[in-house]
Every structure is written in structure tokens, then in C-alpha cells.
Amino acid sequence: YTPARRVTLQQQLLERLESLPGARAASLSHLALLSGGRTVNNIAVEGQSPRSDEDVKCHQLWVGPKFFTTMGIPLLQGRDFNAQELQPQSGATAHATLAAVINQTMARYFFGAQNPIGQRLRFREGTLKDIPVEIIGIAKDAKYEDLREPTRRTFYLSYFQWPQEASLSAEQRILLRAIGDPSNTFTAIQRAV
């Protein structure tokens, strides 16, 4: 699959899943919450200088449309990703400003009582090093790796803003919120796929 064809497939699959009987919302992410997997990055907040011994690692998750609704994570402030941020990025537009929703713990740690909406952060390493990331919302805290861990500083980025040239196809989880008999839902999901 080319990147464009893969994105079309993902969007069509989400539409099909949302049309299933009992389906409430569908989304995707590169990792599943509570799966034991993680992606961690050192970040820098524009206008702040961390201490030399300060741990600025934050957990990150690339998520699709309706992720917060699908996972039952309320947005407390700001907004969810808009239509533009949910469009595939490539070439020059892939390295424009990214959008992020951060959790309460991250907002408290880096901004205290200050409103973080509109503030920017940057990756301090990796392929997206120095790419600006604008905070558009704050989500309620959710566990990341497992239920017993302390809440981690977490930020969510739009799955489709991830440059399509990157190895995006290696990691993808489909998420579905539905009511009804799970065995019937599972069979319907297999048919839709």
C-alpha cells in the first residue's frame, strides 16, 4: 500500500466500523492504551528552560479521529483535532506545526495554573526534532501502560499529521466503542475488515 492508499483504507475502515450495529465510535492509534507498550520523548516547552537534571520525558500517542470519544476520555479544555489536522500530511506540509492535546498531569507539570492552550512545545530528539507542536486541548488523565502505574505526562498527536513517509504502517490499533454481545461485535468487525 502506498501511504495515500493506506490512509484511504484506514478512513474507510473507521466508517464501516461506526456503521456496525451497536457501534458508538471508532478510532485508531499507533499503540493501544493499557497494552504495556509506550512511546516516550524528551520535549521542550517554548519559553521554558529545564534544569540540567530535570526529567522532561513525556509519553506520546498518535491517535485518529474521535479517539477521546471512543476511549471515554473527556476533553476538559480547548478542542479536539479538527478536519485539517486529520488530513494526511506529506512533503513540506508534513513539517508544519503539529497539534497536540495534553493530559492534566502534563498541563500541571509544565504550566501550573497558566493556561497551556496555544502554547508550543518541541521534540528534543528523533525525526521530528524541533518541529513545533501547538497545544489545542487538555484531556482528563488516563492510564497509559497499565492500571497500577502512576499517571504519566502524556500528549496526543493526530495520527494523520505523522509524516506518511515515516514507518507508520508498522503500528496501528483499531479501537471500537460498542454495546451488545462482544462475540457478535467481533464477528462483525472481522466481516467489515
Side-chain angles (χ1 to χ4, degrees):
Y1 283 86
T2 63
R5 187 172 176 210
R6 186 174 63 239
V7 167
T8 300
L9 172 66
Q10 292 162 335
Q11 292 169 336
Q12 289 172 340
L13 180 57
L14 293 178
E15 289 172 14
R16 285 184 186 179
L17 292 176
E18 285 193 325
S19 70
L20 295 176
R24 295 293 179 249
S27 189
L28 54 87
S29 64
H30 85 284
L31 292 173
L33 292 175
L34 305 179
S35 67
R38 68 178 172 186
T39 301
V40 180
N41 257 300
N42 285 312
I43 62 106
V45 175
E46 287 186 359
Q48 294 184 15
S49 298
R51 298 181 318 269
S52 60
D53 63 340
E54 186 175 2
D55 177 9
V56 290
K57 288 186 178 81
C58 295
H59 285 59
Q60 75 181 55
L61 198 63
W62 294 89
V63 302
K66 302 181 186 174
F67 173 82
F68 300 103
T69 300
T70 304
M71 296 303 294
I73 302 172
L75 281 179
L76 304 175
Q77 190 177 339
R79 64 174 178 83
D80 201 343
F81 300 107
N82 64 27
Q84 180 181 352
E85 294 151 355
L86 294 170
Q87 291 302 310
Q89 306 293 306
S90 62
T93 59
H95 298 296
T97 301
L98 302 177
V101 173
I102 64 175
N103 72 350
Q104 293 169 282
T105 297
M106 187 169 171
R108 226 177 356 261
Y109 182 85
F110 288 105
F111 302 100
Q114 181 185 7
N115 181 358
I117 305 300
Q119 299 290 331
R120 290 185 174 209
L121 52 96
R122 292 179 185 269
F123 290 91
R124 296 179 71 187
E125 58 198 12
T127 58
L128 296 176
K129 182 179 179 181
D130 294 328
I131 301 299
V133 180
E134 183 176 339
I135 299 168
I136 62 167
I138 302 173
K140 187 170 182 173
D141 283 342
K143 297 295 185 176
Y144 190 98
E145 291 179 64
D146 68 62
L147 291 173
R148 292 182 179 87
E149 70 180 355
T151 302
R152 308 291 186 196
R153 296 185 301 254
T154 305
F155 62 107
Y156 305 88
L157 299 144
S158 172
Y159 187 87
F160 295 115
Q161 281 194 307
W162 192 344
Q164 296 299 302
E165 296 79 17
S167 57
L168 188 60
S169 60
E171 298 286 336
Q172 175 186 306
R173 306 295 184 269
I174 299 295
L175 313 167
L176 178 68
R177 176 174 288 273
I179 58 171
D181 181 351
S183 61
N184 291 341
T185 303
F186 182 71
T187 303
I189 291 169
Q190 285 181 313
R191 280 195 304 267
V193 173

